[in-house]
C-alpha cells in the first residue's frame, strides 16, 4: 500500500489571466488531500472509497488511471481536508496525490519524478476540465510558493506549453503571511467560469487589456513578495479583485466577504475561479477577519502557508 498527500492552494494573483499565459502566483496551504492506494486482490475494476470507479463520479481518477497506469485493479481510499469546489485546488491535490501513488507503486520515487508527476497531473486536469493552466497542479506537486511567468527567471523549475499558451514554472520565496480564506459555500464551476471569460476575451478588447493588466500587476506582486512589503501586496490584491470583477467572475456573496474583511486587512480578493468559491485576505488580525467573514455569512478558515508539496506519507 502507498499513502500520499498533496496540499491545497490559494492563488495570490493572476487567476484567469494565467489561462492565457499571463503570470500567476499560488501558495500551498497546510490542508491536504490524502490517499491510500493498494493493488486490489481478487477483484475486477478499480474502486474509489469502496465504489466502482466511474467517469461520472471519479473523472480525475479515471483519466489518470486510464492514461498513466498499466498495472492491475486498484483500491483507492481518500481523505480530504480541502473543501471541494471551494477554489482551494482540491482536484489538483487529488490528481497529484494519485499520480505520486502510481509512481511509487511502479517502483519509482516521487522525488525523482516530480516534474513528470506535475506534467501528467496538468494533462489530466486539462483532459477532464478543458482549458486550464498548470497553476494548481504545479503548486500541489511542489508546495510552498509557485510563480508562473512568461519567461525564465531565478528559481526556474520547468517550462510547459499547451493549447497555444506557455508558462515558465518557478519556485518563489514566500514570507510568513497571515491569510484568511472565506468560503462562500457556493460551489463555483471552474470550467464554466473559464469558458465565460474566454467568450468575453474573444469578443472584447477591453477584456484582453484587463487580462494583460492582471499579468503586469502579478509581476509587481512578485517584487512586493520579494521585498516582504505586505502593504503593497494588499493594494495589489484589491486591484486584482477589481480586475476580476471586470472579467465577470465576482459574485455578490464573494463581494460581501471581501468588503467585510477589508477594514482589518492589508487587502482582499477572490481566489481561484470565482462565481462563488472563496476569497482571501492578508491581515495582522486573522481572528478578527475570520469573525468578520463569519458575520457576513461566509465560512472562514485561517490558512497556514509555506506547506510542503506532494509526498509519500508513512505507511
Ligand atoms: O477554481 P480553481 O482554484 O481551480 O482556480 C482555477 C484558476 C483559473 O485560473 C481560473 C483556471 C486555471 O486553470 O488556472
Amino acid at each position: 500500500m502507498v499513502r500520499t498527500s498533496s496540499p491545497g492552494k490559494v492563488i495570490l494573483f493572476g487567476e484567469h489571466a494565467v489561462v492565457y499565459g499571463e503570470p500567476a502566483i499560488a501558495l500551498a496551504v497546510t490542508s491536504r488531500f490524502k490517499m491510500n492506494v493498494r493493488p486490489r486482490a481478487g477483484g475486477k475494476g478499480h474502486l474509489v472509497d469502496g465504489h466502482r470507479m466511474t467517469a461520472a463520479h471519479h473523472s480525475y481518477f479515471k483519466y489518470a488511471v486510464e492514461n498513466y497506469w498499466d498495472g492491475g485493479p486498484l483500491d483507492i481510499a481518500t481523505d480530504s481536508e480541502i473543501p471541494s469546489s471551494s477554489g482551494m485546488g482540491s482536484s489538483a491535490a487529488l490528481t497529484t496525490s494519485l499520480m505520486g501513488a502510481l509512481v511509487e507503486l511502479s517502483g519509482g520515487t516521487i522525488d525523482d519524478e516530480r516534474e513528470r508527476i506535475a506534467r501528467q497531473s496538468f494533462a489530466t486536469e486539462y483532459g477532464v476540465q478543458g482549458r486550464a493552466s498548470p497553476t494548481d497542479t504545479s503548486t500541489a506537486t511542489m508546495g510552498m510558493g509557485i510563480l508562473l511567468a512568461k519567461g525564465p527567471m531565478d528559481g526556474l523549475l520547468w517550462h510547459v506549453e499547451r493549447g497555444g499558451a506557455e508558462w515558465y514554472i518557478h519556485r518563489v520565496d514566500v514570507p510568513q503571511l497571515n491569510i484568511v480564506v472565506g468560503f462562500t459555500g457556493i460551489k463555483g464551476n471552474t470550467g464554466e467560469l473559464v469558458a465565460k471569460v474566454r467568450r468575453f476575451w474573444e469578443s472584447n478588447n477591453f477584456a484582453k487589456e484587463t487580462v494583460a493588466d492582471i499579468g503586469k500587476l502579478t509581476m509587481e506582486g512578485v517584487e512586493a513578495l520579494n521585498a516582504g512589503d505586505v502593504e503593497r501586496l494588499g493594494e495589489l490584491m484589491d486591484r486584482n479583485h477589481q480586475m476580476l470583477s471586470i472579467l465577470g467572475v465576482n459574485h455578490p456573496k464573494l463581494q460581501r466577504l471581501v468588503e467585510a474583511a477589508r477594514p482589518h486587512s492589508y487587502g482582499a480578493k477572490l481566489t481561484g475561479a470565482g462565481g462563488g468559491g472563496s476569497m482571501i485576505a492578508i491581515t495582522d488580525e486573522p481572528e478578527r477577519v475570520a469573525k468578520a467573514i463569519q458575520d457576513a455569512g461566509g465560512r472562514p478558515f485561517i490558512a497556514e502557508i509555506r506547506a510542503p508539496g506532494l509526498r509519500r506519507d508513512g505507511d
Side-chain angles (χ1 to χ4, degrees):
M1 182 185 74
V2 171
R3 293 164 66 87
T4 53
S5 66
S6 294
K9 65 94 204 14
V10 293
I11 298 181
L12 191 57
F13 296 112
E15 50 275 269
H16 286 289
V18 69
V19 173
Y20 304 84
E22 292 294 337
I25 301 171
L27 310 177
V29 299
T30 50
S31 311
R32 300 183 79 80
F33 198 107
K34 302 177 191 167
M35 194 176 288
N36 288 342
V37 184
R38 68 171 92 219
R40 187 177 166 209
K44 274 208 280 181
H46 306 295
L47 293 182
V48 180
D49 296 325
H51 301 282
R52 176 195 279 278
M53 186 188 288
T54 63
H57 293 104
H58 314 106
S59 50
Y60 294 91
F61 289 102
K62 201 157 165 59
Y63 189 100
V65 167
E66 281 176 359
N67 287 282
Y68 304 112
W69 175 247
D70 48 19
L74 296 172
D75 187 352
I76 301 169
T78 68
D79 174 17
S80 179
E81 301 164 349
I82 311 167
S84 68
S85 303
S86 64
M88 291 185 67
S90 67
S91 61
L94 172 165
T95 305
T96 55
S97 295
L98 176 60
M99 218 63 87
L102 298 183
V103 162
E104 295 267 344
L105 283 172
S106 309
T109 68
I110 288 171
D111 278 333
D112 288 344
E113 301 282 358
R114 236 172 244 284
E115 179 178 342
R116 181 162 70 90
I117 290 169
R119 288 183 185 281
Q120 292 180 346
S121 299
F122 173 46
T124 299
E125 278 224 319
Y126 204 97
V128 172
Q129 193 178 296
R131 196 168 285 280
S133 78
T135 310
D136 290 16
T137 42
S138 311
T139 310
T141 308
M142 296 308 299
M144 300 303 284
I146 290 293
L147 163 69
L148 288 82
K150 287 173 132 175
M153 298 168 50
D154 281 355
L156 179 66
L157 291 164
W158 53 75
H159 170 252
V160 179
E161 252 181 279
R162 194 138 197 139
E166 62 169 342
W167 302 270
Y168 290 82
I169 312 225
H170 303 77
R171 291 177 198 279
V172 69
D173 283 340
V174 189
Q176 194 48 259
L177 298 169
N178 294 308
I179 296 187
V180 185
V181 180
F183 180 34
T184 56
I186 301 164
K187 297 191 171 199
N189 181 322
T190 301
E192 280 170 21
L193 289 151
V194 168
K196 178 180 173 185
V197 172
R198 174 148 301 260
R199 286 193 295 276
F200 189 32
W201 183 86
E202 275 167 355
S203 64
N204 188 301
N205 274 335
F206 183 53
K208 287 198 184 74
E209 282 164 24
T210 304
V211 163
D213 286 345
I214 291 176
K216 286 186 206 127
L217 177 141
T218 299
M219 294 314 290
E220 289 181 52
V222 176
E223 282 170 31
L225 265 185
N226 287 337
D229 186 344
V230 263
E231 283 184 14
R232 181 92 184 113
L233 276 178
E235 277 165 33
L236 292 167
M237 286 168 72
D238 289 351
R239 274 173 49 205
N240 194 172
H241 180 74
Q242 181 60 31
M243 293 171 179
L244 287 162
S245 297
I246 293 170
L247 292 182
V249 297
N250 200 358
H251 182 280
K253 189 154 182 197
L254 264 176
Q255 187 60 30
R256 226 172 20 250
L257 303 190
V258 163
E259 280 169 18
R262 274 189 181 148
H264 316 295
S265 301
Y266 291 104
K269 64 180 274 292
L270 73 85
T271 189
S278 298
M279 48 70 68
I280 52 170
I282 293 192
T283 177
D284 288 336
E285 299 175 281
E287 305 290 344
R288 194 166 178 186
V289 170
K291 169 101 179 35
I293 288 171
Q294 179 137 31
D295 290 348
R299 293 184 215 161
F301 163 76
I302 298 176
E304 277 183 55
I305 57 170
R306 298 155 66 102
L310 165 66
R311 66 181 181 214
R312 181 166 180 168
D313 293 321
D315 293 336

